[in-house]
Amino acid sequence: MAAESVVTTCYRHPQVESYVRCTRCDRFICPSCMREAAVGHQCVECVREGARSIRRARTVFGGRIAAVPLVTYVLVGLNVAAYLVELARPSFEYRFAMLGTTPAGYVPEGVAHGEWYRLLTGAFLHLTPGEGTFGITHILFNMVALWNIGRVVETQLGRVRHLALYLLSALGGSVLELLLAPESYTVGASGAIFGLGAAYWVMGRRLGHDMREVNRYMAGLLLWLVISAGLTSWQGHLGGLLAGAVVTVAYAYAPRDQRRTLVQAGVCVALLALLIVLAWLKAASLTA
C-alpha cells in the first residue's frame, strides 16, 4: 500500500500549502511570507527580529545617523509659528520676551519676579516689521542661519544631542543677558545660532576638516559679535557662543566607549545647573 503524503502549510497562513522553510527558524513559509536572505529565505518575524539586533551606526560624537534633520526643521517651524502669533497679537512678544527686571518704579516683571520661562521663550521670538533696527530681517537672517548650519550640526550630533545643544545655547545667552543687562528687553534665536556656530568650529577641528572655510565662517560670526555690541544684544550672542562651545567640546572629546554618553550628559547637566544657579543668584540680588 502506498504511503500517504503529508501536506505542510505556512505557519502564518495555515490554509496555504508550503514546502519552503525559513533558514533561521526552520518553519514553513508561503510566498507572501518569504523575504530574501543571504542564503535562502527568511520569514517576516525573523527578519524583524534580526533588524532589532543590528546596532545602528553612530557618528564620532555618538549621535545616531539620520537622513532627515528633523530637529532643525521643527525648530525653524516653532520660530516661524511664534512669529505669526506675534504678528496677530503684538502683546505676545512683550509677554514672553527675555526681560530680567523692570526699572524701579515700574510694575515688577521679568525673570527676577518669577517669570523664569522668559529665559527660553525669548529665544523663539523675533522683531516684527518696523520694530527695532532690523524688523523682519531679524527672523529671516536667523532662520537662514539655522537652516544652513543646523542641518550640518544635527547630522553629526544626532537629534537628542543637537536639541540639547540648541536649548543650552539659548539659555546661556539669556543668562548672560540677565547677569550683565537685566533691564534689557531682548528677543531672537541669535544666542542659539551662535552656539551652533561654536559647535560647527569644534566639530571641524575634531573631524580634521580643512579649517579655512570653517575659520572664515567663524570670523564672520565673531565680526558680527563685535558689531552687535552697538546694535543688538551682544551679551546674548556671547553667552550662546560660550555655552555652545562647552557642550560641543564635551561631545567631541568624551571617551569613545560606554562612558561617552554618561560624560556628555554629565557636562550638559552640570552646565544647566550652573546657569540655573547664576540666574537664581542674580534674580535674588535684584529683588533683595
Side-chain angles (χ1 to χ4, degrees), residues 48-96:
R48 189 181 300 118
E49 182 64 28
R52 282 198 295 263
S53 64
I54 297 175
R55 294 183 61 185
R56 294 181 61 181
R58 291 183 177 270
T59 67
V60 172
F61 308 95
R64 289 184 175 179
I65 296 176
V68 179
L70 180 63
V71 171
T72 298
Y73 295 159
V74 171
L75 290 172
V76 171
L78 289 175
N79 278 276
V80 172
Y83 194 70
L84 294 177
V85 175
E86 288 181 72
L87 295 177
R89 299 187 62 181
S91 61
F92 181 80
E93 178 186 327
Y94 184 83
R95 185 68 183 83
F96 293 97

Short mmCIF file of all heavy atoms in Angstrom, two decimals, residues 48-96:
data_model
loop_
_atom_site.label_atom_id
_atom_site.label_comp_id
_atom_site.label_asym_id
_atom_site.label_seq_id
_atom_site.Cartn_x
_atom_site.Cartn_y
_atom_site.Cartn_z
N ARG A 48 12.33 40.79 11.09
CA ARG A 48 12.09 41.87 12.05
C ARG A 48 12.98 41.73 13.28
O ARG A 48 13.55 42.70 13.77
CB ARG A 48 10.62 41.86 12.48
CG ARG A 48 10.21 43.07 13.31
CD ARG A 48 8.76 43.01 13.72
NE ARG A 48 7.89 42.96 12.55
CZ ARG A 48 7.06 41.97 12.26
NH1 ARG A 48 7.00 40.91 13.06
NH2 ARG A 48 6.29 42.02 11.20
N GLU A 49 13.13 40.51 13.77
CA GLU A 49 13.99 40.28 14.93
C GLU A 49 15.45 40.56 14.60
O GLU A 49 16.19 41.13 15.41
CB GLU A 49 13.84 38.82 15.39
CG GLU A 49 14.64 38.47 16.63
CD GLU A 49 14.19 39.23 17.86
OE1 GLU A 49 13.00 39.61 17.92
OE2 GLU A 49 15.03 39.46 18.75
N GLY A 50 15.87 40.20 13.41
CA GLY A 50 17.24 40.47 13.00
C GLY A 50 17.53 41.95 12.90
O GLY A 50 18.61 42.42 13.26
N ALA A 51 16.53 42.72 12.42
CA ALA A 51 16.72 44.17 12.31
C ALA A 51 16.88 44.81 13.68
O ALA A 51 17.65 45.76 13.85
CB ALA A 51 15.53 44.78 11.57
N ARG A 52 16.17 44.28 14.69
CA ARG A 52 16.29 44.83 16.04
C ARG A 52 17.66 44.55 16.64
O ARG A 52 18.15 45.30 17.48
CB ARG A 52 15.20 44.26 16.94
CG ARG A 52 13.84 44.90 16.76
CD ARG A 52 12.94 44.62 17.96
NE ARG A 52 12.66 43.20 18.08
CZ ARG A 52 11.56 42.63 17.61
NH1 ARG A 52 10.66 43.36 16.96
NH2 ARG A 52 11.34 41.34 17.77
N SER A 53 18.26 43.46 16.24
CA SER A 53 19.54 43.07 16.83
C SER A 53 20.73 43.77 16.20
O SER A 53 21.84 43.71 16.72
CB SER A 53 19.73 41.55 16.72
OG SER A 53 19.82 41.16 15.36
N ILE A 54 20.50 44.46 15.07
CA ILE A 54 21.60 45.15 14.39
C ILE A 54 21.82 46.52 15.03
O ILE A 54 20.89 47.31 15.16
CB ILE A 54 21.30 45.32 12.89
CG1 ILE A 54 21.20 43.95 12.23
CG2 ILE A 54 22.39 46.15 12.22
CD1 ILE A 54 20.79 44.02 10.78
N ARG A 55 23.02 46.83 15.43
CA ARG A 55 23.34 48.12 16.03
C ARG A 55 23.38 49.19 14.96
O ARG A 55 24.04 49.04 13.93
CB ARG A 55 24.69 48.06 16.75
CG ARG A 55 24.70 47.13 17.96
CD ARG A 55 26.04 47.19 18.66
NE ARG A 55 26.30 48.54 19.15
CZ ARG A 55 27.46 48.90 19.72
NH1 ARG A 55 28.43 48.03 19.87
NH2 ARG A 55 27.62 50.14 20.13
N ARG A 56 22.66 50.28 15.19
CA ARG A 56 22.66 51.38 14.24
C ARG A 56 23.98 52.14 14.31
O ARG A 56 24.56 52.34 15.37
CB ARG A 56 21.50 52.33 14.54
CG ARG A 56 20.14 51.70 14.33
CD ARG A 56 19.04 52.68 14.62
NE ARG A 56 19.11 53.84 13.74
CZ ARG A 56 18.27 54.87 13.80
NH1 ARG A 56 17.31 54.89 14.71
NH2 ARG A 56 18.38 55.88 12.98
N ALA A 57 24.45 52.55 13.13
CA ALA A 57 25.73 53.25 13.05
C ALA A 57 25.65 54.59 13.79
O ALA A 57 24.61 55.25 13.80
CB ALA A 57 26.10 53.46 11.60
N ARG A 58 26.75 54.98 14.40
CA ARG A 58 26.82 56.25 15.12
C ARG A 58 28.00 57.07 14.61
O ARG A 58 28.96 56.53 14.09
CB ARG A 58 26.96 56.02 16.63
CG ARG A 58 25.69 55.44 17.28
CD ARG A 58 25.85 55.29 18.78
NE ARG A 58 24.64 54.82 19.41
CZ ARG A 58 23.68 55.60 19.88
NH1 ARG A 58 23.81 56.92 19.79
NH2 ARG A 58 22.59 55.11 20.43
N THR A 59 27.91 58.37 14.81
CA THR A 59 28.97 59.27 14.39
C THR A 59 30.07 59.32 15.45
O THR A 59 29.95 58.69 16.51
CB THR A 59 28.42 60.69 14.17
OG1 THR A 59 28.01 61.23 15.43
CG2 THR A 59 27.22 60.67 13.24
N VAL A 60 31.11 60.08 15.17
CA VAL A 60 32.21 60.26 16.12
C VAL A 60 31.70 60.83 17.44
O VAL A 60 32.25 60.54 18.51
CB VAL A 60 33.28 61.19 15.51
CG1 VAL A 60 34.35 61.55 16.54
CG2 VAL A 60 33.92 60.53 14.30
N PHE A 61 30.63 61.62 17.39
CA PHE A 61 30.11 62.29 18.58
C PHE A 61 29.06 61.45 19.31
O PHE A 61 28.52 61.89 20.32
CB PHE A 61 29.52 63.64 18.18
CG PHE A 61 30.45 64.49 17.38
CD1 PHE A 61 30.40 64.48 16.00
CD2 PHE A 61 31.42 65.26 18.00
CE1 PHE A 61 31.28 65.25 15.24
CE2 PHE A 61 32.31 66.02 17.26
CZ PHE A 61 32.23 66.02 15.87
N GLY A 62 28.78 60.27 18.80
CA GLY A 62 27.83 59.38 19.45
C GLY A 62 26.41 59.49 18.95
O GLY A 62 25.53 58.77 19.42
N GLY A 63 26.15 60.39 18.02
CA GLY A 63 24.79 60.55 17.50
C GLY A 63 24.43 59.47 16.50
O GLY A 63 25.28 58.99 15.75
N ARG A 64 23.17 59.09 16.50
CA ARG A 64 22.69 58.13 15.53
C ARG A 64 22.55 58.79 14.16
O ARG A 64 22.05 59.90 14.06
CB ARG A 64 21.34 57.54 15.95
CG ARG A 64 21.44 56.59 17.14
CD ARG A 64 20.10 55.98 17.46
NE ARG A 64 20.21 54.98 18.51
CZ ARG A 64 19.18 54.30 19.00
NH1 ARG A 64 17.96 54.51 18.52
NH2 ARG A 64 19.36 53.40 19.95
N ILE A 65 23.02 58.11 13.15
CA ILE A 65 22.97 58.65 11.80
C ILE A 65 21.52 58.67 11.31
O ILE A 65 20.84 57.65 11.32
CB ILE A 65 23.84 57.83 10.84
CG1 ILE A 65 25.32 57.93 11.28
CG2 ILE A 65 23.68 58.32 9.41
CD1 ILE A 65 26.25 57.09 10.45
N ALA A 66 21.05 59.85 10.90
CA ALA A 66 19.69 60.01 10.39
C ALA A 66 19.74 60.85 9.12
O ALA A 66 20.48 61.83 9.04
CB ALA A 66 18.79 60.66 11.43
N ALA A 67 18.95 60.44 8.13
CA ALA A 67 18.96 61.14 6.85
C ALA A 67 18.21 62.46 6.92
O ALA A 67 18.48 63.38 6.15
CB ALA A 67 18.36 60.25 5.77
N VAL A 68 17.25 62.58 7.84
CA VAL A 68 16.41 63.77 7.92
C VAL A 68 16.73 64.55 9.20
O VAL A 68 16.57 64.02 10.30
CB VAL A 68 14.91 63.40 7.91
CG1 VAL A 68 14.05 64.65 8.02
CG2 VAL A 68 14.57 62.61 6.66
N PRO A 69 17.21 65.80 9.10
CA PRO A 69 17.48 66.63 10.29
C PRO A 69 16.18 67.16 10.89
O PRO A 69 15.88 68.35 10.82
CB PRO A 69 18.37 67.75 9.74
CG PRO A 69 17.94 67.89 8.32
CD PRO A 69 17.56 66.51 7.85
N LEU A 70 15.42 66.28 11.51
CA LEU A 70 14.08 66.60 11.97
C LEU A 70 14.05 67.73 12.99
O LEU A 70 13.18 68.60 12.95
CB LEU A 70 13.44 65.34 12.55
CG LEU A 70 12.01 65.48 13.08
CD1 LEU A 70 11.06 65.87 11.96
CD2 LEU A 70 11.55 64.18 13.74
N VAL A 71 15.00 67.72 13.94
CA VAL A 71 15.00 68.73 15.00
C VAL A 71 15.17 70.13 14.41
O VAL A 71 14.49 71.08 14.83
CB VAL A 71 16.11 68.43 16.02
CG1 VAL A 71 16.27 69.60 16.99
CG2 VAL A 71 15.80 67.16 16.79
N THR A 72 16.05 70.27 13.43
CA THR A 72 16.26 71.57 12.79
C THR A 72 14.98 72.05 12.13
O THR A 72 14.60 73.23 12.26
CB THR A 72 17.38 71.49 11.75
OG1 THR A 72 18.60 71.12 12.40
CG2 THR A 72 17.57 72.82 11.04
N TYR A 73 14.29 71.16 11.44
CA TYR A 73 13.04 71.53 10.79
C TYR A 73 11.99 71.97 11.83
O TYR A 73 11.28 72.95 11.62
CB TYR A 73 12.49 70.36 9.98
CG TYR A 73 13.35 69.94 8.81
CD1 TYR A 73 13.23 68.67 8.25
CD2 TYR A 73 14.29 70.82 8.27
CE1 TYR A 73 14.02 68.29 7.17
CE2 TYR A 73 15.08 70.44 7.20
CZ TYR A 73 14.94 69.17 6.65
OH TYR A 73 15.72 68.80 5.58
N VAL A 74 11.92 71.24 12.93
CA VAL A 74 10.94 71.56 13.97
C VAL A 74 11.27 72.91 14.60
O VAL A 74 10.37 73.74 14.86
CB VAL A 74 10.90 70.46 15.04
CG1 VAL A 74 10.06 70.90 16.25
CG2 VAL A 74 10.33 69.18 14.46
N LEU A 75 12.55 73.18 14.87
CA LEU A 75 12.94 74.45 15.46
C LEU A 75 12.61 75.62 14.55
O LEU A 75 12.12 76.67 15.00
CB LEU A 75 14.44 74.44 15.79
CG LEU A 75 14.86 73.53 16.94
CD1 LEU A 75 16.38 73.45 17.04
CD2 LEU A 75 14.28 74.01 18.26
N VAL A 76 12.88 75.46 13.27
CA VAL A 76 12.51 76.52 12.31
C VAL A 76 11.00 76.72 12.33
O VAL A 76 10.51 77.86 12.34
CB VAL A 76 13.00 76.15 10.89
CG1 VAL A 76 12.43 77.14 9.87
CG2 VAL A 76 14.52 76.16 10.82
N GLY A 77 10.27 75.62 12.34
CA GLY A 77 8.81 75.71 12.37
C GLY A 77 8.29 76.42 13.61
O GLY A 77 7.35 77.24 13.53
N LEU A 78 8.88 76.13 14.77
CA LEU A 78 8.44 76.77 16.01
C LEU A 78 8.73 78.27 15.98
O LEU A 78 7.89 79.09 16.42
CB LEU A 78 9.16 76.14 17.21
CG LEU A 78 8.73 74.71 17.58
CD1 LEU A 78 9.60 74.16 18.69
CD2 LEU A 78 7.26 74.69 18.00
N ASN A 79 9.88 78.66 15.47
CA ASN A 79 10.22 80.08 15.38
C ASN A 79 9.26 80.81 14.43
O ASN A 79 8.80 81.92 14.73
CB ASN A 79 11.66 80.26 14.90
CG ASN A 79 12.68 80.11 16.01
OD1 ASN A 79 12.96 81.06 16.74
ND2 ASN A 79 13.23 78.92 16.16
N VAL A 80 8.97 80.20 13.30
CA VAL A 80 8.06 80.82 12.34
C VAL A 80 6.65 80.90 12.91
O VAL A 80 5.96 81.92 12.77
CB VAL A 80 8.07 80.04 11.01
CG1 VAL A 80 6.98 80.57 10.07
CG2 VAL A 80 9.43 80.15 10.34
N ALA A 81 6.20 79.82 13.57
CA ALA A 81 4.86 79.83 14.17
C ALA A 81 4.75 80.92 15.23
O ALA A 81 3.73 81.63 15.31
CB ALA A 81 4.57 78.46 14.78
N ALA A 82 5.78 81.06 16.09
CA ALA A 82 5.76 82.10 17.11
C ALA A 82 5.73 83.49 16.47
O ALA A 82 5.05 84.40 16.98
CB ALA A 82 6.98 81.97 18.01
N TYR A 83 6.42 83.64 15.35
CA TYR A 83 6.43 84.94 14.67
C TYR A 83 5.05 85.29 14.13
O TYR A 83 4.62 86.45 14.20
CB TYR A 83 7.45 84.91 13.53
CG TYR A 83 7.79 86.27 12.98
CD1 TYR A 83 8.53 87.17 13.73
CD2 TYR A 83 7.36 86.66 11.71
CE1 TYR A 83 8.85 88.42 13.24
CE2 TYR A 83 7.66 87.91 11.21
CZ TYR A 83 8.42 88.79 11.98
OH TYR A 83 8.72 90.04 11.50
N LEU A 84 4.35 84.30 13.61
CA LEU A 84 3.00 84.54 13.10
C LEU A 84 2.06 84.96 14.24
O LEU A 84 1.19 85.82 14.05
CB LEU A 84 2.47 83.29 12.40
CG LEU A 84 3.20 82.89 11.11
CD1 LEU A 84 2.63 81.59 10.55
CD2 LEU A 84 3.13 84.00 10.08
N VAL A 85 2.26 84.35 15.41
CA VAL A 85 1.45 84.74 16.57
C VAL A 85 1.78 86.18 16.97
O VAL A 85 0.88 86.96 17.32
CB VAL A 85 1.68 83.78 17.75
CG1 VAL A 85 0.94 84.25 18.99
CG2 VAL A 85 1.25 82.36 17.39
N GLU A 86 3.04 86.55 16.91
CA GLU A 86 3.44 87.93 17.22
C GLU A 86 2.75 88.92 16.29
O GLU A 86 2.31 90.00 16.72
CB GLU A 86 4.95 88.09 17.08
CG GLU A 86 5.78 87.43 18.17
CD GLU A 86 7.25 87.67 17.95
OE1 GLU A 86 7.70 88.82 18.16
OE2 GLU A 86 7.96 86.73 17.54
N LEU A 87 2.68 88.57 15.00
CA LEU A 87 2.05 89.47 14.03
C LEU A 87 0.55 89.60 14.32
O LEU A 87 -0.02 90.69 14.16
CB LEU A 87 2.26 88.93 12.62
CG LEU A 87 3.70 88.91 12.11
CD1 LEU A 87 3.77 88.29 10.72
CD2 LEU A 87 4.30 90.32 12.09
N ALA A 88 -0.06 88.51 14.76
CA ALA A 88 -1.50 88.54 15.03
C ALA A 88 -1.81 89.22 16.37
O ALA A 88 -2.82 89.92 16.50
CB ALA A 88 -2.06 87.12 15.01
N ARG A 89 -0.92 88.99 17.36
CA ARG A 89 -1.14 89.56 18.70
C ARG A 89 0.17 90.21 19.17
O ARG A 89 1.02 89.54 19.77
CB ARG A 89 -1.58 88.48 19.67
CG ARG A 89 -2.89 87.80 19.28
CD ARG A 89 -3.35 86.86 20.37
NE ARG A 89 -3.62 87.58 21.62
CZ ARG A 89 -4.02 87.00 22.75
NH1 ARG A 89 -4.17 85.68 22.79
NH2 ARG A 89 -4.26 87.70 23.83
N PRO A 90 0.37 91.49 18.93
CA PRO A 90 1.62 92.17 19.30
C PRO A 90 1.97 92.04 20.78
O PRO A 90 3.16 92.04 21.13
CB PRO A 90 1.35 93.63 18.92
CG PRO A 90 0.32 93.54 17.83
CD PRO A 90 -0.55 92.37 18.20
N SER A 91 0.99 91.92 21.66
CA SER A 91 1.29 91.81 23.09
C SER A 91 1.99 90.50 23.43
O SER A 91 2.62 90.38 24.49
CB SER A 91 -0.01 91.90 23.89
OG SER A 91 -0.90 90.85 23.55
N PHE A 92 1.89 89.51 22.55
CA PHE A 92 2.50 88.20 22.78
C PHE A 92 4.02 88.34 22.91
O PHE A 92 4.63 87.67 23.74
CB PHE A 92 2.15 87.27 21.61
CG PHE A 92 2.70 85.88 21.74
CD1 PHE A 92 2.07 84.93 22.54
CD2 PHE A 92 3.85 85.51 21.06
CE1 PHE A 92 2.57 83.65 22.66
CE2 PHE A 92 4.35 84.23 21.17
CZ PHE A 92 3.71 83.30 21.97
N GLU A 93 4.62 89.21 22.12
CA GLU A 93 6.07 89.38 22.15
C GLU A 93 6.53 89.89 23.50
O GLU A 93 7.45 89.33 24.10
CB GLU A 93 6.52 90.35 21.05
CG GLU A 93 8.02 90.60 21.05
CD GLU A 93 8.43 91.68 20.06
OE1 GLU A 93 7.78 91.79 18.98
OE2 GLU A 93 9.37 92.43 20.36
N TYR A 94 5.90 90.95 23.99
CA TYR A 94 6.34 91.51 25.27
C TYR A 94 6.09 90.54 26.42
O TYR A 94 6.87 90.47 27.37
CB TYR A 94 5.62 92.83 25.56
CG TYR A 94 6.12 93.49 26.82
CD1 TYR A 94 7.27 94.27 26.81
CD2 TYR A 94 5.46 93.30 28.04
CE1 TYR A 94 7.75 94.85 27.97
CE2 TYR A 94 5.93 93.88 29.20
CZ TYR A 94 7.08 94.65 29.16
OH TYR A 94 7.55 95.21 30.33
N ARG A 95 5.03 89.76 26.31
CA ARG A 95 4.68 88.84 27.40
C ARG A 95 5.72 87.74 27.57
O ARG A 95 5.93 87.25 28.69
CB ARG A 95 3.30 88.21 27.10
CG ARG A 95 2.79 87.31 28.23
CD ARG A 95 2.46 88.14 29.46
NE ARG A 95 2.03 87.32 30.58
CZ ARG A 95 2.85 86.70 31.43
NH1 ARG A 95 4.18 86.83 31.29
NH2 ARG A 95 2.39 86.00 32.43
N PHE A 96 6.40 87.35 26.50
CA PHE A 96 7.32 86.22 26.56
C PHE A 96 8.75 86.57 26.19
O PHE A 96 9.59 85.68 26.10
CB PHE A 96 6.81 85.09 25.66
CG PHE A 96 5.52 84.48 26.14
CD1 PHE A 96 4.30 84.88 25.62
CD2 PHE A 96 5.53 83.50 27.12
CE1 PHE A 96 3.11 84.33 26.07
CE2 PHE A 96 4.35 82.94 27.59
CZ PHE A 96 3.14 83.35 27.05
#
